[in-house]
Amino acid sequence: MASMEPTRQANGAPPLAELAQPTSQPPPQGRGHAERPRRGALAGRPLFWIALASLVGLVALFFVSRAARTSAAPPPAIRVPLPAFELADQRGQRFGLEQLRGRVWIADFIFTTCPTVCPKLTQRMKEIELRSRDLGDALHLATFTVDPENDTPEVLAAYAASNGLPLERWTLLTGPLDQIESTIVGGFKIAMGKKESSPGIFSIFHGERLVLVDKEAVIRGYYEANDEGIAAILRDAGALVK
């Protein structure tokens, strides 16, 4: 059977019939027409949409964080100057207002043999310490005993150890009864006392609020030791530190 291929010229050039046929390639188009298929292919890739979503998320996060900074709560308005005091810490060393000046600090009031509210106060203070670690040394905790006749420095040190209190950010204070009363009742305006409930049996009472003090030794707020109070005192302490 004869081949259907066209014969070539002697010099190897294609036959004239091939040269006369129109080319099958489309004519070149403009730049915009050439890029459209590439963009369509890019948009169809999952990585493109992931990158786009990430970019949108970052932009949204920027504006949300900026709004949060501008709408941050102002420092508390209450201002009650705290008179100077000097007591003894859990090491038996002198410790007073001068050692706390320049730092924001939070105070609570307990006695170590208390079986009810005092352990709860200590746990709440531990929660504050844990949740405020980003503030570092700028925030300090101070626990004042309302039973200094029994809560000696040695007893306070044992109480701190048994409760795992971080003493690098936390100080426990005791001293003569008259100085304790002057500091707590006269300075902090927190009630405390001891009364004879039956012959030879005394009960100790004291206020259960937490007190926030600023860098200038000025009381800035009183807070309940509940979830709302803890959130509020952490917010206000952070505002005072910054």
Side-chain angles (χ1 to χ4, degrees):
M1 183 174 178
S3 172
M4 299 298 294
E5 291 184 5
T7 58
R8 294 184 171 269
Q9 302 181 47
N11 59 2
L16 296 176
E18 287 188 20
L19 294 175
Q21 293 178 359
T23 177
S24 61
Q25 295 181 353
Q29 298 177 354
R31 183 175 179 182
H33 294 286
E35 290 184 351
R36 255 186 226 132
R38 295 180 58 193
R39 289 174 183 166
L42 183 62
R45 295 179 182 177
L47 288 178
F48 170 78
W49 293 109
I50 293 173
L52 182 61
S54 299
L55 178 61
V56 172
L58 288 173
V59 172
L61 181 61
F62 168 77
F63 284 105
V64 168
S65 61
R66 188 173 69 173
R69 288 194 299 269
T70 56
S71 62
I78 184 174
R79 291 179 176 272
V80 179
L82 184 63
F85 64 85
E86 186 172 83
L87 299 169
D89 65 14
Q90 71 279 351
R91 300 167 298 173
Q93 298 182 3
R94 294 166 61 181
F95 193 97
L97 200 58
E98 284 305 312
Q99 283 70 36
L100 291 165
R101 195 176 297 276
R103 284 187 286 184
V104 176
W105 52 287
I106 296 171
D108 76 328
F109 311 90
I110 67 163
F111 59 103
T112 60
T113 55
C114 169
T116 54
V117 68
C118 297
K120 295 178 182 178
L121 286 172
T122 298
Q123 289 304 310
R124 283 303 198 175
M125 289 282 278
K126 286 181 68 175
E127 181 182 346
I128 290 171
E129 192 279 328
L130 180 63
R131 293 172 60 181
S132 66
R133 286 187 179 175
D134 61 314
L135 301 178
D137 294 337
L139 180 67
H140 198 77
L141 307 181
T143 291
F144 294 77
T145 179
V146 296
D147 185 22
E149 296 169 319
N150 293 305
D151 289 341
T152 62
E154 293 77 16
V155 171
L156 292 180
Y159 183 82
S162 64
N163 284 278
L165 307 187
L167 297 180
E168 64 275 6
R169 298 186 69 205
W170 197 328
T171 303
L172 291 81
L173 296 168
T174 187
L177 179 59
D178 60 337
Q179 293 183 28
I180 288 288
E181 288 180 335
S182 175
T183 300
I184 295 177
V185 179
F188 285 99
K189 314 302 180 187
I190 295 289
M192 63 163 285
K194 181 186 291 186
K195 61 182 179 181
E196 191 172 15
S197 55
S198 59
I201 299 178
F202 293 86
S203 61
I204 298 173
F205 64 91
H206 60 92
E208 302 173 11
R209 298 210 173 198
L210 308 177
V211 183
L212 176 62
V213 186
D214 68 16
K215 300 175 184 179
E216 304 301 324
V218 176
I219 295 173
R220 303 301 297 272
Y222 295 83
Y223 304 81
E224 297 285 351
N226 54 26
D227 290 346
E228 294 78 9
I230 299 303
I233 201 170
L234 284 168
R235 178 199 64 213
D236 293 345
L240 292 174
V241 166
K242 297 173 182 178

